[in-house]
Amino acid sequence: MIRAVRPDEVDAFFDLTLLVDLHMPADQLPALKDTIAAALTDVRPPFSHGLNHFLFATLDDQPVGAVHVGPARWMLDRSIPARIRRALVEKVSSIDTIAVHDDHRRQGIATAILSRVESDFAAAGYRALALRHEHRMRHFFTAHGFTSLPRLAVDLGPAGLFTEYDREWKYAVKPLDPAVTFTTQRGLHVLSGLLN
């Protein structure tokens, strides 16, 4: 079963999140947990927690998998005009963390979580899902319809081309709307049609 994470389950959610290499110094983890705890108190629609989706996959009512999906960090970049940042928040979201307990891997749990996330965001009118992933996870995401890229490149219409690169990560994007496509610009595989 896949269900929303309750505010009193922050410890269980955080424990599952730590199964993923967050590429974060240990001294920053308490602040991350506080941020998650605060976000879990926001139960406004459209998703489980406002613009964020915190979900558990459970077996016998015990959490064995978790996902957090919310506005992508790159959309906060000040080089993107504020009006476009606001529009992007309602058109694209980012899978920040997806984790499955070691004892329950290779049982289709991550696939079920991903399917639920895609369904929920498509139903809410989002045009694409994005994420950063470790290089070793490329096959998992491409097998589920994501395009994995060494650099994120997004056509922001009149604001031009936005790109982000981090050598430790790959970027993956999955269009949820047929109007969103990939084009080639300046030799890059570019996500287009988000703002139409």
Side-chain angles (χ1 to χ4, degrees):
M1 178 173 139
I2 298 175
R3 65 168 177 82
V5 178
R6 297 186 310 262
D8 65 337
E9 296 176 311
V10 65
D11 290 331
F13 182 85
F14 196 65
D15 288 347
L16 281 168
T17 297
L18 292 178
L19 294 174
V20 177
D21 183 355
L22 300 175
H23 296 264
M24 180 179 287
D27 64 339
Q28 292 180 10
L29 294 177
L32 175 62
K33 185 176 180 180
D34 291 345
T35 300
I36 292 170
L40 287 173
T41 64
D42 180 2
V43 293
R44 294 173 299 125
F47 301 108
S48 63
H49 301 84
L51 293 175
N52 291 281
H53 221 16
F54 289 94
L55 300 173
F56 271 148
T58 62
L59 290 175
D60 299 324
D61 205 34
Q62 295 300 311
V64 296
V67 67
H68 167 239
V69 188
R73 290 184 195 118
W74 62 266
M75 293 188 302
L76 304 176
D77 190 296
R78 295 287 183 190
S79 69
I80 300 172
R83 66 182 169 72
I84 293 178
R85 288 196 311 263
R86 286 190 298 274
L88 285 171
V89 166
E90 296 178 358
K91 305 222 183 244
V92 63
S93 198
S94 179
I95 299 172
D96 186 55
T97 307
I98 185 168
V100 176
H101 191 280
D102 293 343
D103 295 343
H104 300 282
R105 291 192 177 154
R106 304 213 181 278
Q107 297 176 20
I109 293 170
T111 297
I113 291 170
L114 199 53
S115 179
R116 167 71 182 268
V117 165
E118 290 175 21
S119 174
D120 289 352
F121 277 85
Y126 276 64
R127 299 185 131 199
L129 284 172
L131 58 93
R132 290 185 321 170
H133 66 85
E134 294 176 323
H135 293 262
R136 66 182 178 82
M137 295 301 295
R138 179 183 174 275
H139 178 72
F140 174 79
F141 290 110
T142 57
H144 290 87
F146 283 78
T147 299
S148 182
L149 306 160
R151 176 183 301 271
L152 177 68
V154 182
D155 182 348
L156 297 178
L161 188 64
F162 173 84
T163 65
E164 183 175 77
Y165 173 77
D166 184 329
R167 65 184 177 91
E168 292 188 32
W169 297 95
K170 290 183 82 67
Y171 297 84
V173 178
K174 183 172 186 176
L176 301 176
D177 181 307
V180 176
T181 60
F182 287 98
T183 60
T184 301
Q185 295 179 35
R186 298 186 211 164
L188 297 171
H189 211 52
V190 177
L191 187 65
S192 298
L194 281 178
L195 299 174
N196 297 344

